[in-house]
Amino acid sequence: MSDYNTQLYNTYIQLLVVALFSTFLAVVLSFFISNWLQKELNNVLLLTNNLTENITSNEKIDWPHSLIKEIFYLIAAFKQSEIKLKKLFQENIATKLDLQYLAHYDPLTNVYNRNYIMKNINELIEHSPNSVNFSVLFIDLDRFKIVNDTVGHRIGDKLLVEVAERLREINDNNLLISRIGGDEFIVVVPSYDEVDSLSKIANEIIESLNQSYHVEGNEFHLSASIGISVYPDDGKDVHTLIKNADIAMYAAKDNGKNTYEFYNSSYNSVTSKVEMENELRHAIERKELQLFYQPKVNIASGEIVGAEALIRWIHPTYGFVSPADFIPIAEETGLIIPMGEWILEQACKDLFIWNTNRTKNISVSVNISMHQFLNENLLKSVENAINLAKIDPTLLELEITESVAMFQPEIVIEKLKNLKNKGITLALDDFGTGYSSLNYLKMLPIDVLKIDQSFIKDMDHADTTIVRSLIEIAHSLHMTVVAEGVETKSQLNYLQGVHCDLFQGYYFSKAIPQEEFLKLLRIFK
């Protein structure tokens, strides 16, 4: 029994020693493992603490390698986070740079934009001593919209890029160049000694922009009109300087385009293009636009067979505004399209009224501008006007000028055929004033030839051979002939003798409002 107890005691002691040793070993191992894990985690922690700084400074992060599965996955997760954060940071930097660029530059031409050039002008005003002058040149490309509508905005944009590049090449590195919208540019001359130096710069710009342009195998020719205002004589704030330069530019266009004009206080009576454009936008809804009608008369019978619709603008402040003043602005700004649609619709509505209760219908003729004719929605607009008014399409006559007919012959002929197929009557206006050939005239699907009033006027004191020849040629092509601008009995008598079909002019009646035209119809019914 005693030996058994001794043996049991010894076994217990052995087990206790093993247990204590195991415990000691476990503590030691735990200590080392804990230190190892802590060291690994500390390395990761140090890198993650500076993760943002390392990414923003674009420093490479050397992530540690770990044999511990959990820490290995943790480091892998941080690596992915680093990649994503770097991408976000780069995108943020790129967006910030893009915003800074867009705030200062025109994205198409890479010259300053409107806001930034105005900021520059303001800074010049604030920091320029009284003895230092600077100037604002307002540049508008002549008839650029026609090119844009004809060949498309893609080529038009390439032309604008070329224009900007040519402006940069003007021999004055101090010039501040900007595109403020569309085909309008502003060039600021920060300082100058004499006005002649401004004229020299303006002439250099005009000469440079006049050179031919070659884009995608096509050759184009542009010109520019420039208005010039100077600080402080023509304005002491940025808005006045730009406005007055704009007014001067409009004066340059009035003087034949492709030239420059300095602002003059006498221009104060002239409404700027911007103001005129704004007024035109509201003219239709305010019912300030009116159609006047000039009767067309059959020379043989004396009957009124139709009328030409002519636009008039009665402004509440300016009074009667001449079409010569607002039509060019409407064409330059593109407002001629909605205005032309209104004219078509109103003329067709008036025609419906004329022919109500008439045994013999009359027609109405409407002038179509270059911009309207080249517009892709022309046919749709014409059909819409006819359908709204519920008129016979053969009673609508569309007039295009010789210059429109010659602009893009293939496009013109195709569009004319499409209109002709709808039953619409087509007229060639102002014939004889351009350069179209008789061979080209034969190709046009034209029903009516209108002889320009300049030939009719010359009949009283010049050879009448031209008028007689034009009438004979038109008749040989089965066209009806209308003589424009007939003012005297002798002119009418001659036209009757050479078998001209119709006439219009002051000899019978000037253009009159709808109400007066209705009275005239009742008289000559």
Side-chain angles (χ1 to χ4, degrees), residues 221-251:
H221 296 273
L222 299 176
S223 63
S225 297
I226 303 175
I228 305 173
S229 64
V230 298
Y231 173 84
D233 296 345
D234 300 330
K236 295 183 179 180
D237 64 84
V238 60
H239 296 288
T240 303
L241 285 167
I242 292 177
K243 174 186 174 183
N244 289 343
D246 178 25
I247 292 174
M249 180 275 297
Y250 182 40

Side-chain angles (χ1 to χ4, degrees), residues 452-462 467 484-488 491:
D452 186 70
Q453 59 184 340
S454 60
F455 295 108
I456 306 301
K457 185 176 182 181
D458 287 343
M459 287 196 312
D460 286 337
H461 49 78
V467 174
E484 294 184 293
V486 176
E487 298 180 352
T488 66
Q491 291 171 350

Side-chain angles (χ1 to χ4, degrees), residues 143-157 159 220 330-337 369-377 407-408 411 415:
R143 302 178 72 82
F144 177 78
K145 184 167 176 56
I146 294 176
V147 176
N148 224 13
D149 290 343
T150 305
V151 299
H153 291 279
R154 182 172 56 82
I155 292 180
D157 285 349
L159 287 171
F220 300 93
E331 291 178 338
E332 289 283 342
T333 58
L335 286 173
I336 195 69
I337 301 301
S369 72
M370 176 91 73
H371 289 83
Q372 284 178 276
F373 192 81
L374 296 175
N375 186 274
E376 59 183 9
N377 293 322
F407 186 72
Q408 291 272 335
I411 295 175
K415 283 206 168 188

Side-chain angles (χ1 to χ4, degrees), residues 57-77:
S57 59
N58 202 28
E59 292 183 12
K60 184 182 179 185
I61 301 175
D62 293 321
W63 294 100
H65 299 283
S66 179
L67 298 176
I68 302 171
K69 183 178 178 182
E70 288 75 8
I71 295 179
F72 175 82
Y73 286 137
L74 181 64
I75 292 172

Side-chain angles (χ1 to χ4, degrees), residues 382-426:
V382 173
E383 290 179 326
N384 184 56
I386 291 171
N387 293 333
L388 282 174
K390 299 179 180 178
I391 63 166
D392 181 350
T394 61
L395 299 177
L396 174 61
E397 180 179 300
L398 300 182
E399 299 183 13
I400 64 168
T401 62
E402 192 174 0
S403 60
V404 173
M406 290 294 294
F407 186 72
Q408 291 272 335
E410 292 182 1
I411 295 175
V412 168
I413 291 173
E414 182 182 356
K415 283 206 168 188
L416 289 176
K417 286 180 178 178
N418 290 336
L419 291 166
K420 182 91 168 175
N421 289 337
K422 298 296 181 181
I424 296 160
T425 304
L426 302 172

